[in-house]
């Protein structure tokens, strides 16, 4: 039974309002994040299972209902909850559209059901039930006032029968115990003593891409055919087939806005730039405009529109960078000096993390008295790019702006554009990283970039996928970024790039690479200490030979195609680690809920040596009979192995292919 | 530093009020029960350790303070919190008096500390700090406006020095980094951007007896020298030395009020009573009075006062039974018919749990429109007995009255009498049992009565002492009650009684027995199915031979004396189970926080056979070096064993003494 009900006066437990005569407690509600302060996240089409402890004093049988609605709707939809055991109740609902849904719980004593249970026991014990029949008649009468005309007439007849001195005891007993009677009366329960859970809990529902996406980051200005030329949006269009062939569906650009001149950085992050140095795209703003303008050397707004359209044809969405900071030449500095922090010498405070200095960048001062106008202006930037067709934003350093600002911004934007995705680039302390996701960020960068050995990968991905974190945090895994060339990639070269790619693409339903440096296995660092690339394209124009012989583009294409064809890899919910008796081999599976798609991944973490070992698989997790033979089909190289039970031999050579991505092929039922 | 601060305007996070420019998040606060809905429980003198995740966007160094006060005080006391790691902060406070305390957290960006940290780094990196010195001077100036006169004058001088063009750079650098400067300025921090945690959390602080008590339940009418005589309060006085010698400090009586005549129960719970049958004490009320009257055959109110006084001399408190229900003859039925549920035949609904009927008892109807007057009347009963000197109440079947009523009642009573203890007799479903404790009951009966085998004892006591339950639930362990003679006691006889006594008295800092049936090892049941005693004294006058040869009174006295002399047994917080390689032997330790008292208990759960086995002790838990020799001294029989490390041999004969209660004697530091 599912019925729409109007919002009406309710007694909320713990709210103090009229609770004295209500006897029901609703607690231990799951899912519920931080006492209901934050929404959980789900994807359209997901089924949300809600459980709660519901009980009352005394012996009354209870009824409970799950109430849910899209926040913008005015009417609740109500589904009955089912009692599992130990006072635990459950119901579920599906969220078909993107946006915000609310849910709560209502429970009430079911007087009639209690009465019927008691009278059945009394009849069985052959006790006198004459008064009980009168009580039942009263309950039915009372319910009939809420009933439809035809039901009401039936109910009045039944009440008369129970009261009648003409009817035989056996007729009356039969009626009292009748399931039809129960069913009808149950439709018109007395909810005068109903209580509603004190909170309305929220679900933020995103489109599918929030959970499953493949990102490619690229500097548009490097899409050039000659090293001395500045790449353009038109050049980017020519690169689309290449990106599409590799199987990526999000193309993310660092900031595309005019770049400041004052204190512009030179090659390798030097503080003095030559006139020909282009500057870092994150030093946003010049006399040519700010966050709503396009760097003239990239092209025009029209070019950008054209690029978005072309990308769409390839199934690719363009993601932009939201870096809320300004070069000293940004128009805001002139127009809104109060949005910056001024120093006693009359200069603006530039960004710094002592002893590091970023003199080409002024942070915004969110503690300004004029914060309201600042917030509105920043929102208008997002809306401007939405108007140009952008629906995905990678947000630069969100952890250096107030949480409250992000929460407001994301709610405001998603009110009208629930399909917008915000990726949080918060490479900071773990609690801050998680908190930003709670405040509304759709996806988040993770520590994957620095998790290389088996135990830390298992520990971290268990936390991400098995703890409460799974309720609000969509991880997006990046083996490299323009700021991070890890020790592992630097030292391991090509085998390491393959290993990290497979890990990112199979441990995370969302992942991305920073190319073409990644597929070209670029691993030269500026120095030993920092993770900066040597001659980083953050500070200079570069040109990349994407057709180079050693490129991983075909390997990447294969991996992305495996992701597209196997729904198990499109979510992280059923990630499970299996034992292998070699610390250099990591083994895990992902499966669909119904076991129709089961993937088993084994990766050699050692980029130097061939490693071998024996698995000890949780066969139940794979849907496999531990005694029978089954086959695993490697979707990377096409080979098939015949395996039995939990223990199977594995051998992986990093200088060939450092990983297996098996599809587990369970024998058909007749097979043995 | 500890300082009193006045209640002032604060910015509460998540409250929406002025939070836009605050950057700090306070979350993950512990202890916090159900999002702050319920108080935690502690005992006077306890130290409450409070932890929280506190962080902000950006790089500012934060300061945080724990705020606490007795609820009745108007001023908060404030202690600085310490940053542990991973954004986790901690502070603690002591609760010296019974009653309700509140605590919350405040945090703010510490601008000066941030400035000092940055300038130290810049000086080390030999950077130009001329502007930074001016900023520091500004911060010091600003703080000086909040400072005491003498501090303010120092601070102004320091600020001048930092600004002065006369001073040498090295003088200024030295001053900027000086810890004295930091210390003084730190006392006058700017809290304009401080945030306070959105909740004020509560602690209910009880006197020591809430955590450590030894109960003896007894029917006063059975304290008689001749089986045909009704015992009196005067007879009870004569029994006090006996109870005191056994070491009990709470003497609990079933209801002492007039007993109804209508539908009075006869021997063995039969529905027809002979004129001489006394009726059950729980059928409260007759023409002789109700809940504020004393059954005339027990004595007068004066006799009761005298008994309380005498008991006090023996260090014994009298606990009364709060059974909020009425015999059909109770004055309330006449005076307040609206407090009962009326049936269509004009009779009052008696208590029933079909097919069981309790025609001698009318439950109160808490859903009555006149609930307010009912609640007040019931409160007046408690206050009446408090006025007679009673401070401990055992509450009969609280799970059949509304939770909201209990919460109100207990808060109301403890406002004026914080020393009152309420024991909840809710032998019902686990979540209801726990919920009553959350609503305010001081102590609670448990499932101990039915937990007999090793795994279930370990599982249950781990839940009670290691999970969140420990924050709000003081267990009180009863091997028997007037309603429950368990299978184990029935079948096991004397060895079983000894075993259950040791378990109750050492697993639970609070425990009780129903005597003299317990010490006399009375184990005859009415029938196989029910747990009722044969010829239960609930329905008849009894006389007991307390000097009987087989009595356990000396054994009980020994166990209670061990409890009194060993503080480790007076709390459940450090209960730890140790392995033994025999399922019939259970082994656990309790220790004081500082390891000055370490007790190790081993019990043979098999009442038939001698059992032996090897322990595998967690030596760390016992404060023992796993390689060295130590001795364990059995406080039951006085024997001492020399042990080494984790593995030691145990042998226990149920027909002698089925348990060891060892005091672990660690070697003095010089010993090896």
């Amino acid at each position: 039974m599912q019925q729409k009900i109007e919002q009406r006066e309710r007694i909320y437990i713990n709210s103090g309002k009229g609770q004295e005569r209500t006897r029901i407690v609703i607690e231990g509600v799951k899912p519920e994040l931080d006492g209901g302060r934050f929404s959980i996240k789900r994807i359209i089409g997901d089924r949300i299972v809600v459980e709660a402890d519901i009980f009352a004093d005394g012996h009354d049988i209870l009824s409970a209902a799950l109430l849910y609605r899209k926040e913008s709707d005015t009417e609740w939809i109500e589904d009955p909850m089912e009692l599992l055991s130990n006072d635990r109740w459950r119901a579920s609902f599906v969220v078909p559209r993107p946006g915000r849904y609310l849910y709560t719980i209502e429970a009430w004593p079911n007087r009639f059901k209690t009465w019927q249970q008691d009278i059945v026991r009394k009849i069985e014990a052959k006790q006198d039930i004459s008064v009980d029949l009168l009580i039942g008649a009263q309950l039915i009468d009372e319910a009939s006032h809420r009933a439809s005309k035809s039901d009401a007439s039936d109910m009045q007849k039944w009440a008369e029968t129970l009261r009648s001195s003409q009817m035989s005891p056996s007729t009356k007993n039969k009626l009292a115990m009748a399931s039809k009677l129960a069913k009808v009366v149950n439709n018109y329960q007395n909810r005068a003593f109903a209580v509603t859970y004190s909170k309305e809990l929220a679900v933020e529902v995103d489109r599918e891409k929030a959970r499953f996406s493949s990102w490619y980051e690229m500097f548009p200005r490097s899409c050039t055919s000659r090293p001395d030329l500045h790449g353009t949006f038109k050049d980017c269009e020519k690169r689309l087939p290449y990106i599409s062939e590799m199987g990526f569906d999000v193309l993310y650009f660092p900031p595309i806005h005019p770049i400041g001149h004052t204190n512009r950085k030179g090659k390798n992050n030097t503080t003095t730039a030559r006139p020909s140095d282009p500057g870092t795209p994150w030093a946003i703003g010049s006399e040519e405009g700010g966050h709503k303008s396009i760097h003239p050397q990239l092209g025009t707004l029209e070019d950008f529109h054209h690029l978005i359209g072309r990308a769409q044809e390839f199934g690719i969405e363009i993601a932009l960078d939201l870096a809320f900071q300004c070069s000293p030449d940004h128009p805001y500095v002139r127009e809104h000096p109060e949005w910056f922090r001024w120093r006693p010498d009359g200069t603006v405070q530039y960004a710094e993390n002592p002893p590091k200095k970023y003199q080409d960048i002024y942070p915004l001062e969110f503690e300004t008295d004029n914060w309201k106008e600042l917030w509105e202006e920043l929102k208008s930037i997002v809306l401007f790019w939405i108007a140009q067709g952008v629906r995905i934003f990678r947000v630069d350093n969100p952890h250096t702006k107030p949480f409250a600002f992000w929460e407001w911004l994301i709610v405001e934007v998603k009110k009208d554009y629930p399909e917008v995705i915000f990726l949080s680039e918060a490479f900071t302390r773990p609690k801050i990283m998680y908190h930003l996701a709670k405040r509304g960020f759709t996806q988040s960068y993770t520590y994957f970039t620095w998790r290389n050995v088996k135990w830390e990968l298992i520990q971290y991905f268990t936390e991400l996928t098995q703890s409460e974190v799974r309720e609000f945090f969509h991880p997006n895994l990046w083996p490299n970024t323009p700021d991070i060339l890890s020790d592992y990639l630097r030292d391991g070269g090509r085998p390491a790039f393959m290993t990290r790619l497979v890990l990112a693409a199979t441990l995370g339903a969302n992942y991305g690479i920073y190319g073409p440096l990644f597929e070209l296995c670029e691993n030269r660092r500026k120095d030993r200490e920092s993770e900066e690339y040597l001659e980083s394209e953050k500070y200079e124009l570069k040109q990349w030979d994407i057709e180079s012989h050693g490129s991983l583009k075909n390997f990447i294409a294969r991996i992305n195609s495996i992701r597209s064809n196997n729904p198990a890899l499109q979510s992280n919910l059923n990630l499970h680690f299996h034992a292998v008796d070699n610390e250099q081999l990591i083994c895990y599976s992902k499966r669909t809920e119904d076991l129709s798609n089961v993937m088993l991944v084994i990766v050699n973490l050692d980029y130097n040596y061939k490693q071998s070992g024996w698995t000890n698989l949780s066969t139940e997790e794979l849907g496999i009979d531990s005694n029978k033979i089954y086959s695993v089909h490697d979707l990377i190289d096409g080979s098939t192995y015949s395996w039995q039970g939990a223990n199977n031999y594995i051998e992986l050579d990093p200088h060939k292919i450092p990983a297996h991505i098996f599809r587990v092929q369970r024998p058909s039922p007749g097979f043995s």
Side-chain angles (χ1 to χ4, degrees), chain A residues 31 128 140 158 160 173 211 217 243 281 290 389 420 471 515 608-609 648:
Chain A
D128 174 21
I140 297 167
W158 291 330
E160 268 165 46
N173 290 3
R211 181 150 69 200
E217 175 173 6
I243 297 163
V420 172
E471 301 289 0
N608 285 314
Y609 299 106
N648 298 284

Side-chain angles (χ1 to χ4, degrees), chain A residues 435-632:
Chain A
H435 194 76
L436 286 161
K438 288 182 186 173
R439 293 278 187 151
F441 280 92
T442 328
Q443 299 185 351
S444 307
Y445 283 69
T446 69
Y447 303 124
F448 167 75
T449 315
W450 301 284
R451 297 290 177 270
N452 296 298
V453 305
K454 185 167 164 175
W455 71 265
E456 65 186 11
L457 282 165
I458 292 177
Q459 188 186 62
Y460 186 47
F461 282 88
T462 300
E463 177 179 318
L464 289 180
T465 64
Q466 311 302 319
S467 79
E468 194 183 49
V469 171
R470 68 192 273 167
E471 301 289 0
F472 62 86
F473 190 88
H474 291 300
N476 193 330
L477 313 188
W478 291 73
N480 72 331
T481 77
D483 297 319
I484 311 170
L485 170 60
S486 70
D487 293 359
Y488 188 90
L489 292 179
R490 177 197 58 191
D491 298 338
R494 199 168 190 274
F497 280 79
M498 292 171 82
T499 290
R500 296 299 291 174
L501 183 88
V502 172
L503 289 172
T506 57
L507 281 172
N510 295 305
Y511 91 109
I513 59 170
Y514 160 51
L517 290 77
F518 188 88
E519 61 266 30
L520 299 180
C521 303
E522 171 59 48
N523 68 338
R524 292 171 306 140
R525 282 227 295 232
K526 193 181 140 204
D527 50 50
R528 257 211 95 71
E529 295 71 39
S530 86
E531 293 177 318
E532 289 274 338
Y533 280 93
L534 178 70
E535 295 160 10
S536 166
E537 63 181 342
K538 287 196 290 183
Y539 310 105
E540 56 189 287
L541 296 180
K542 303 284 275 191
Q543 182 216 8
W544 302 101
D545 177 13
I546 58 173
E547 298 307 330
S548 142
H549 173 67
S551 170
L552 290 176
K553 66 178 179 168
N554 292 333
F555 184 70
I556 294 169
R558 171 60 59 99
I559 303 298
N560 278 333
S561 134
I562 295 171
R563 283 164 52 88
S564 299
N565 297 328
N566 290 280
L569 297 176
Q570 296 167 16
S571 156
N572 300 329
L573 290 182
N574 292 313
L575 174 65
H576 185 93
F577 289 96
H578 301 262
V580 197
D581 62 356
N582 180 332
E583 276 309 288
Q584 295 288 0
L585 295 177
I586 188 168
C587 174
Y588 48 91
S589 63
K590 280 185 170 179
R591 59 173 176 80
T592 53
E593 207 56 54
D594 63 358
L595 287 164
S596 64
N597 184 236
V598 180
M599 302 296 289
L600 183 69
V601 181
I602 302 150
V603 183
N604 180 2
L605 301 174
D606 180 354
Y607 43 69
N608 285 314
Y609 299 106
K610 178 152 80 178
Q611 294 285 349
S612 62
W614 288 84
T615 63
N616 188 3
L617 304 172
S618 311
T619 48
E620 208 179 310
E621 192 62 32
L622 304 178
I624 282 164
D625 189 319
S626 58
N627 299 311
K628 290 192 184 154
I629 289 171
Y630 56 96
S631 62
V632 294

Side-chain angles (χ1 to χ4, degrees), chain A residues 331-373:
Chain A
Y332 290 161
V333 181
R334 217 170 45 245
E335 294 162 11
H336 288 281
E338 78 281 10
W339 289 351
F340 300 88
R341 185 179 288 188
W342 291 82
R343 310 199 303 167
D345 64 345
T347 61
V348 174
Q349 177 69 59
Y350 48 79
E352 58 175 357
N353 190 8
K356 285 190 209 163
K357 298 178 176 190
Y358 307 90
Q359 297 96 329
D360 57 337
I361 292 170
Y362 288 173
L364 291 160
E365 167 69 327
F366 281 87
E367 289 180 355
T368 172
D369 287 334
N370 194 14
W371 60 269
K372 215 159 184 170
E373 216 177 322

Side-chain angles (χ1 to χ4, degrees), chain A residues 67-97:
Chain A
L67 275 54
Y68 59 97
R69 62 180 168 97
K70 202 149 191 304
E71 192 178 40
S72 51
D73 293 346
T74 51
E75 290 191 345
W76 291 100
I77 300 170
E78 180 177 308
D79 269 348
M81 296 187 82
E82 182 198 0
L83 174 59
L84 304 173
S85 71
N86 192 18
D87 296 315
R88 193 81 182 152
W89 295 67
R90 182 193 287 161
S92 66
F93 67 107
V94 171
V95 285
R97 287 172 295 153

Side-chain angles (χ1 to χ4, degrees), chain A residues 146-195:
Chain A
R146 291 182 292 272
S148 70
K149 239 183 180 171
S150 75
D151 281 348
S153 124
D154 282 351
M155 289 160 80
Q156 276 147 21
K157 266 179 236 152
W158 291 330
E160 268 165 46
T161 303
L162 295 184
R163 275 198 197 97
S164 165
S165 55
Q166 312 296 318
M167 295 290 174
S168 73
S170 85
T171 306
K172 292 199 258 186
N173 290 3
K174 227 185 210 160
L175 174 60
M177 299 192 286
S179 61
K180 166 139 201 224
L181 173 66
K183 207 180 151 189
V184 172
V185 179
N186 216 33
N187 284 335
Y188 306 106
Q189 295 180 45
N190 179 358
R191 297 209 192 171
F193 289 90
V195 297

Side-chain angles (χ1 to χ4, degrees), chain A residues 389-400:
Chain A
V390 176
R391 289 295 180 277
I392 306 184
F393 297 93
R394 177 269 198 192
V395 180
D396 190 69
N397 275 341
H399 56 291
T400 59

Side-chain angles (χ1 to χ4, degrees), chain A residues 26-57:
Chain A
I26 303 172
E27 62 177 23
V29 176
K30 286 214 167 154
E32 177 179 306
L33 202 55
D34 289 4
R37 167 64 181 87
F38 299 109
S39 321
I40 59 163
K41 292 201 180 80
R42 291 294 189 273
I43 301 299
I44 48 171
D46 278 357
R47 175 168 290 280
I48 295 163
V49 178
V50 179
E51 290 192 1
D53 295 332
I54 305 175
F55 51 83
D57 66 282

